[in-house]
Amino acid sequence: MPVTTELSARALLLDMDGTLVNSDAVVERCWRRWAARQGLDGDAAMRVVHGRQGHLSMAILLPDRPMEQNIEENRLMLAEETADTDGVVPVPGAPAFLASLAGLPHALVTSADEGLARVRMGAAALPLPPVLVTAESVGASKPDPEGFLKGAAALGFAPADCLAFEDSEAGIAAALAAGMQVVGIGPRAAAHAPTVQVDSLERVEVTAGADGTLTVRVG
């Protein structure tokens, strides 16, 4: 029988791509085209791009290129990704999971800019959390913890009282560096040492106690 893990928190911080929204088809299309234009191996590029802001992925893949060029190309990449919603769907269990959080303290913490976040959540027919921490909100991208720290502050809780949901190496590292426990969602998360990993949000249940404590059962 599956083992159930029970975690406690006061607030939840949620990544978007790969955690709530399956946008892999768009990411693959856009980033493989970009990699081909640079003469890079597409598979190698895909191992880097998840979870980070695009200009930092570009900097890792092309370390000798000026950052100004990466920032400009990322602007174009964001426009391309925002215009392409073909295949953007909720991850299994995301609609019911977000519905269960209505009225509870939770925030979106994503490396996407606000426009892309709104488009992808809309394409997946998912409600936006009450607090958004997007690329414009931070000076440093995941794996830096700034986004998660800002999400906790916006909700009014200490980082240690927040539980993060993530799928990528960069995102899991960012949440752990912020001092939070992390629920890893999906197979991509398993290799990156989250506090607990689960194949699907269908296996996550959140209940609120009378004192506001959130009990998260994973398993």
Side-chain angles (χ1 to χ4, degrees):
M1 293 181 60
V3 175
T4 298
T5 300
E6 193 169 287
L7 303 169
S8 294
R10 304 287 291 183
L12 306 182
L13 302 179
L14 315 174
D15 174 53
M16 181 180 70
D17 292 302
T19 301
L20 299 174
V21 174
N22 181 348
S23 56
D24 283 358
V26 177
V27 174
E28 288 268 348
R29 283 194 292 271
C30 293
W31 278 96
R32 284 185 182 277
R33 283 197 296 264
W34 178 87
R37 292 195 296 268
Q38 312 306 321
L40 298 173
D41 176 70
D43 290 341
M46 294 313 302
R47 288 193 288 270
V48 170
V49 302
H50 294 290
R52 295 180 177 85
Q53 290 184 31
H55 66 280
L56 293 183
S57 296
M58 293 173 183
I60 292 170
L61 292 163
L62 295 172
D64 297 326
R65 198 166 73 158
M67 185 58 80
E68 292 79 8
Q69 188 175 348
N70 296 334
I71 291 171
E72 174 59 21
E73 285 200 9
N74 186 50
R75 185 183 66 79
L76 300 174
M77 175 72 76
L78 283 169
E80 187 178 351
E81 289 189 279
T82 302
D84 185 354
T85 59
D86 187 23
V88 175
V89 295
V91 304
F97 173 73
L98 284 173
S100 76
L101 302 187
L104 303 180
H106 64 290
L108 192 73
V109 180
T110 175
S111 293
D113 67 4
E114 184 173 346
L116 181 58
R118 289 183 178 277
V119 164
R120 284 194 176 157
M121 292 290 282
L126 294 174
L128 281 167
V131 171
L132 305 181
V133 180
T134 61
E136 301 95 329
S137 309
V138 298
S141 173
K142 299 171 186 178
D144 190 280
E146 181 183 0
F148 283 108
L149 294 173
K150 285 195 169 182
L155 292 172
F157 294 97
D161 289 329
C162 297
L163 180 63
F165 288 72
E166 267 285 0
D167 74 299
S168 71
E169 179 179 13
I172 291 168
L176 291 173
M180 301 172 185
Q181 295 190 95
V182 183
V183 178
I185 301 298
R188 192 156 52 215
H192 306 302
T195 308
V196 62
Q197 187 266 342
V198 68
D199 289 340
S200 166
L201 282 172
E202 295 170 306
R203 306 294 296 275
V204 178
E205 177 185 303
V206 180
T207 56
D211 64 352
T213 298
L214 306 180
T215 299
V216 180
R217 295 180 181 86
V218 181

